[in-house]
Amino acid sequence: MEASVILPILKKKLAFLSGGKDRRSGLILTIPLCLEQTNMDELSVTLDYLLSIPSEKCKARGFTVIVDGRKSQWNVVKTVVLMLQNVVPAEVSLVCVVKPDEFWDKKVTHFCFWKEKDRLGFEVILVSANKLTRYIEPCQLTEDFGGSLTYDHMDWLNKRLVFEKFTKESTSLLDELALINNGSDKGNQQEKERSVDLNFLPSVDPETVLQTGHELLSELQQRRFNGSDGGVSWSPMDDELLAQPQVMKLLDSLREQYTRYQEVCRQRSKRTQLEEIQQKVMQVVNWLEGPGSEQLRAQWGIGDSIRASQALQQKHEEIESQHSEWFAVYVELNQQIAALLNAGDEEDLVELKSLQQQLSDVCYRQASQLEFRQNLLQAALEFHGVAQDLSQQLDGLLGMLCVDVAPADGASIQQTLKLLEEKLKSVDVGLQGLREKGQGLLDQISNQASWAYGKDVTIENKENVDHIQGVMEDMQLRKQRCEDMVDVRRLKMLQMVQLFKCEEDAAQAVEWLSELLDALLKTHIRLGDDAQETKVLLEKHRKFVDVAQSTYDYGRQLLQATVVLCQSLRCTSRSSGDTLPRLNRVWKQFTVASEERVHRLEMAIAFHSNAEKILQDCPEEPEAINDEEQFDEIEAVGKSLLDRLTVPVVYPDGTEQYFGSPSDMASTAEHIRDRMKLVSLKRQQLRHPEMMTTES
């Protein structure tokens, strides 16, 4: 009978073995009756189970039964005592009925258990709870009877369930392991014939059963040595002491059979693993040498543009993705083979090494081919990328050359020319890069036949080579045409720079001439204090005019050069409509002003020269001095000069301009008037000599 079958009944605690012993070392069986009616059938089942636990030796020492009737009725107690006669008559040596205080005295007289000893087969005594120690030591009694023995019924029941479960599982597991191990010891032929039968697994996990057994044994041994100390809920009983060697024996048998079983499983797993590895290796090899190689054979082109190369790369990535799955299998298989080589038997080493070598050769060859193809496509993509960039650069340069140059000034032309040179240099660099990429790609294509699996790729390679060489030749021709156009454009732009320079210098000549005119009118004002100074001013003025003449001639030459350049460039010059009229206008204005300046200086020289002759005392020429005509002439020249100072310079276009400011003219006129007064005074003195005598 198993505790798990009658677990609900055992939980009611209708009877229990506390572990206590009487003075004869017999076990104490306690039957705690309660106020409710006790089910005798359940009590009988409980007693049958409890009495099946102790060993025969322990049973031979007899039982002391404590019937606790303090909470029950007399007729129930009597029924229980009589039932003991039928359940355990031979094992019971003493029945102690614990009575309530002074409750059953009258009824006891009607049924004397001591008179029925011979018929019952054991002695029955009525005793109070406080007098049980006359028959049983206090340390063997539970707390319910004033003893010190600790007992936890649920803890005992749980441990009992664990023990029975372990015993049942371990016994069944031993049978299964023995069947598996014995079957594996047969010959190889028998094993192959029964391989299907031997592949089954134990119904329970051996590790779990062993762990449960070790925990149970540890608990039993701990109770054996510690007793009830350390918080242990119940003391070791004979059933526990008997369970220890039983558990140890089962554990030893389990360990032995489990060790054999592990070896059988290892051998079986190794054989199964070897067969699986062989199968997987052949799957990998067959796919790589079959569909995988066919995929690579179908891919030979490099594309004729970036988009085509990218499409081929995408297709190749799909092929690589499919290969990656098989390469992952290869890595896993290689690790498994390496593990088997490290721990395998010598009889398997040759086969494993052969499989490993075959697998590695095929995988490495296929991986090399994939890498070669990927590098070839990458080189083709880079080549087409450089070709496209170079084509765009050539298109940009050609577009720049096809647009007519219409710059605003020489600086913009210089900037455009610099940009043109930079673009041409960039094209040179791009073409050189294209040649390098193309040559590298041609070198790779020439090596393509080494992995073509015997396939003739000459035609395909020739198409690729012709395409690459055609692209490079086309780019070279386009670049040469652009260079020729750049040479023509460079010459034209240099002429335009010269044209703008001439126009700028001509405009500068006009500005210089205008500045000379402005200086003539504003600063060339003085007429001199005497004839000598006036002559010096006249000489300076002539040099000043020479400078202006040179400036005018320089401007004319520049404008003539612009006409020639415009004819060469077939464009209209802005100078013919703007700079040349300005130059001529300023020069005419300068000429008119210069002539007026010369006339004034010449009149001033004549005035000062005649005045100085008269004002000087020259006795040798009295007749000349006394000539009235000279005085009249000096006076006339002076007045004419004064009148001229007040008249503005009239340009050919009718505009007028004065020399200097009014104050400057007034100062010059005042000086002339002073000189005229001196001449007039001199004239009077010559007319009236007595005035000279009086003054003397």
Side-chain angles (χ1 to χ4, degrees), residues 407-458:
D409 51 31
S412 62
I413 294 179
Q414 292 284 5
Q415 185 67 26
T416 304
L417 185 59
K418 180 180 178 182
L419 180 61
L420 199 63
E421 297 291 348
E422 290 176 353
K423 284 184 174 293
L424 185 60
K425 183 178 180 181
S426 177
V427 167
D428 288 335
V429 174
L431 183 59
Q432 181 61 31
L434 181 67
R435 290 170 180 163
E436 294 175 357
K437 294 292 184 181
Q439 187 58 48
L441 185 56
L442 290 174
D443 293 340
Q444 286 183 279
I445 291 176
S446 64
N447 298 327
Q448 188 175 7
S450 61
W451 54 269
Y453 288 102
K455 180 183 178 181
D456 187 7
V457 295
T458 305

Side-chain angles (χ1 to χ4, degrees), residues 632-685:
D632 294 338
E633 183 180 354
I634 292 173
E635 184 177 359
V637 172
K639 289 181 179 179
S640 297
L641 185 58
L642 289 174
D643 293 338
R644 200 160 192 124
L645 290 177
T646 60
V647 176
V649 179
V650 180
Y651 295 143
D653 58 358
T655 58
E656 298 178 351
Q657 183 67 43
Y658 288 92
F659 278 95
S661 62
S663 60
D664 294 333
M665 292 296 101
S667 175
T668 302
E670 184 65 26
H671 178 72
I672 295 173
R673 290 189 186 95
D674 291 340
R675 178 60 63 94
M676 290 178 67
K677 288 179 181 180
L678 292 176
V679 172
S680 178
L681 181 61
K682 184 68 175 178
R683 184 177 186 178
Q684 292 178 3
Q685 289 176 355

Side-chain angles (χ1 to χ4, degrees), residues 21 35 149 157 181 197 206 229 295 311 345 361 365 399 432 472 490 503 589 593 609:
K21 297 181 181 179
L35 294 176
L149 180 64
L157 183 57
N181 296 336
D197 296 332
D229 297 333
Q295 288 178 349
D345 298 331
D361 291 344
R365 183 171 63 249
Q432 181 61 31
M472 292 192 293
R490 185 187 296 112
E503 289 182 345
Q589 291 176 352
S609 297

Side-chain angles (χ1 to χ4, degrees), residues 234-410:
W234 50 286
S235 300
M237 303 185 300
D238 279 0
D239 63 325
E240 292 182 296
L241 300 177
L242 179 63
Q244 291 181 27
Q246 186 177 355
V247 172
M248 289 181 1
K249 182 179 179 180
L250 287 172
L251 286 175
D252 292 339
S253 299
L254 276 176
R255 279 192 291 266
E256 179 184 357
Q257 291 294 335
Y258 184 51
T259 302
R260 290 181 58 193
Y261 170 73
Q262 286 179 317
E263 179 63 22
V264 170
C265 291
R266 191 185 69 81
Q267 293 293 336
R268 184 189 304 166
S269 175
K270 186 182 69 172
R271 289 191 296 271
T272 303
Q273 188 177 10
L274 182 59
E275 293 175 357
E276 292 178 353
I277 288 175
Q278 290 175 339
Q279 183 180 1
K280 290 182 179 180
V281 166
M282 294 312 300
Q283 288 178 352
V284 174
V285 171
N286 292 335
W287 190 90
L288 292 179
E289 292 183 343
S293 298
E294 287 298 328
Q295 288 178 349
L296 284 178
R297 289 192 190 101
Q299 297 294 315
W300 55 266
I302 61 172
D304 57 359
S305 63
I306 292 180
R307 180 174 299 179
S309 295
Q310 289 176 340
L312 289 174
Q313 269 193 335
Q314 184 177 1
K315 178 62 178 178
H316 183 72
E317 289 174 358
E318 295 175 359
I319 296 175
E320 281 186 334
S321 177
Q322 296 180 23
H323 279 75
S324 298
E325 298 176 1
W326 292 99
F327 288 153
V329 177
Y330 157 71
V331 173
E332 181 181 357
L333 288 174
N334 199 35
Q335 293 175 350
Q336 293 177 3
I337 293 175
L340 291 177
L341 286 174
N342 293 332
D345 298 331
E346 293 185 1
E347 59 189 30
D348 300 329
L349 292 180
V350 177
E351 184 178 1
L352 287 172
K353 287 183 178 179
S354 176
L355 287 173
Q356 188 180 42
Q357 188 64 40
Q358 181 185 11
L359 183 63
S360 297
D361 291 344
V362 174
C363 288
Y364 277 115
R365 183 171 63 249
Q366 200 76 358
S368 299
Q369 295 161 7
L370 286 171
E371 183 180 6
F372 180 87
R373 176 63 179 169
Q374 176 61 33
N375 293 337
L376 182 66
L377 290 176
Q378 183 61 34
L381 181 62
E382 293 176 359
F383 172 78
H384 289 125
V386 174
Q388 179 173 299
D389 293 341
L390 179 59
S391 179
Q392 292 175 353
Q393 291 177 1
L394 288 170
D395 290 341
L397 181 58
L398 183 61
M400 185 176 179
L401 293 171
C402 292
V403 176
D404 192 15
V405 180
D409 51 31

Side-chain angles (χ1 to χ4, degrees), residues 89 94 167 177 204 273 283 298 307 390 431 509 514 528 558 597 627:
L94 176 63
T167 303
L177 293 179
V204 292
Q273 188 177 10
Q283 288 178 352
R307 180 174 299 179
L390 179 59
L431 183 59
S514 298
L558 291 173
R597 173 67 173 169
D627 192 351

Side-chain angles (χ1 to χ4, degrees), residues 459-674:
I459 299 177
E460 291 84 350
N461 282 344
K462 185 176 185 306
E463 292 182 7
N464 293 333
V465 170
D466 292 344
H467 168 69
I468 295 170
Q469 292 177 345
V471 170
M472 292 192 293
E473 292 174 358
D474 179 63
M475 292 300 172
Q476 177 63 38
L477 292 175
R478 292 178 61 187
K479 187 251 186 184
Q480 186 62 46
R481 288 196 297 269
C482 286
E483 281 184 341
D484 296 340
M485 295 179 68
V486 167
D487 292 339
V488 175
R489 178 57 61 89
R490 185 187 296 112
L491 177 61
K492 182 177 181 180
M493 295 182 75
L494 290 176
Q495 289 179 339
M496 294 188 70
V497 170
Q498 188 176 4
L499 172 62
F500 275 104
K501 181 64 176 173
C502 290
E503 289 182 345
E504 291 176 1
D505 291 347
Q508 184 64 50
V510 174
E511 294 297 327
W512 288 342
L513 196 58
S514 298
E515 292 176 359
L516 292 175
L517 175 60
D518 189 62
L520 175 63
L521 294 173
K522 292 182 179 180
T523 61
H524 293 211
I525 302 170
R526 296 184 67 255
L527 298 178
D529 295 337
D530 52 32
Q532 184 63 32
E533 184 180 0
T534 304
K535 290 178 180 179
V536 172
L537 291 174
L538 181 60
E539 184 63 26
K540 288 183 178 180
H541 176 72
R542 287 172 178 159
K543 292 180 180 180
F544 183 76
V545 172
D546 292 340
V547 172
Q549 181 68 48
S550 299
T551 302
Y552 172 72
D553 294 340
Y554 176 67
R556 291 281 299 183
Q557 293 173 0
L558 291 173
L559 291 175
Q560 290 176 358
T562 58
V563 172
V564 175
L565 289 172
C566 286
Q567 292 175 352
S568 176
L569 294 172
R570 297 179 181 179
C571 65
T572 57
S573 172
R574 296 176 298 175
S575 301
S576 59
D578 183 15
T579 308
L580 182 59
R582 287 177 54 224
L583 180 64
N584 291 331
R585 183 175 64 254
V586 174
W587 175 246
K588 289 179 180 179
Q589 291 176 352
F590 183 85
T591 301
V592 172
S594 175
E595 290 176 353
E596 178 64 24
R597 173 67 173 169
V598 171
H599 290 159
R600 292 185 183 188
L601 288 173
E602 289 177 347
M603 290 177 67
I605 291 173
F607 173 75
H608 286 301
S609 297
N610 293 330
E612 289 174 358
K613 289 180 181 180
I614 293 175
L615 293 176
Q616 291 178 354
D617 293 332
C618 298
E620 295 82 2
E621 301 179 359
E623 295 178 358
I625 297 174
N626 293 330
D627 192 351
E628 287 292 333
E629 293 180 359
Q630 292 184 358
F631 286 100
D632 294 338
E633 183 180 354
I634 292 173
E635 184 177 359
V637 172
K639 289 181 179 179
S640 297
L641 185 58
L642 289 174
D643 293 338
R644 200 160 192 124
L645 290 177
T646 60
V647 176
V649 179
V650 180
Y651 295 143
D653 58 358
T655 58
E656 298 178 351
Q657 183 67 43
Y658 288 92
F659 278 95
S661 62
S663 60
D664 294 333
M665 292 296 101
S667 175
T668 302
E670 184 65 26
H671 178 72
I672 295 173
R673 290 189 186 95
D674 291 340

